[in-house]
Amino acid sequence: MLTVNVTLLLAVIVVWRLRRRTEARSRFDEKLTVVIVLALGVLIAPTPAGQGILNVLGQLARRRHPGQPVSPRTRMDRTAPAGGHCGARVGGVGQ
């Protein structure tokens, strides 16, 4: 029961901190918010709610990128024009 209370408290703190304007935050404030969010994630992860979030995100990722991951090189080869180059000059600028 204590974990749920700490988790709820951290969630309220995160929402409260994120409501502030970006310009009003210092770097320390932003770093502290990141640490609090990480702690919140660690507390939520083993709970049924955390597992549900993980499952939903996993399904979204599978739906968005089905099959095997594609390497960046393969992705570039698929989108290259028929001539085999992307129109960039070879040999540097001005040649």
Side-chain angles (χ1 to χ4, degrees):
M1 189 65 174
L2 179 63
T3 303
V4 174
N5 292 337
V6 171
T7 304
L8 182 63
L9 177 64
L10 284 176
V12 169
I13 290 171
V14 166
V15 170
W16 177 68
R17 292 181 66 82
L18 291 178
R19 288 184 54 129
R20 293 178 60 196
R21 294 180 54 137
T22 304
E23 297 84 16
R25 295 184 208 151
S26 68
R27 286 188 183 207
F28 177 76
D29 285 341
E30 290 179 353
K31 289 178 183 178
L32 184 60
T33 302
V34 168
V35 169
I36 293 171
V37 168
L38 286 173
L40 179 63
V42 167
L43 290 174
I44 289 177
T47 65
Q51 294 300 313
I53 292 169
L54 179 65
N55 289 337
V56 168
L57 292 177
Q59 289 174 2
L60 288 174
R62 271 187 244 110
R63 186 178 310 154
R64 191 145 169 90
H65 300 288
Q68 296 295 325
V70 179
S71 72
R73 173 54 106 187
T74 305
R75 199 173 296 130
M76 285 174 35
D77 291 343
R78 288 184 187 168
T79 58
H85 60 82
C86 297
R89 289 185 178 189
V90 178
V93 178
Q95 288 186 350

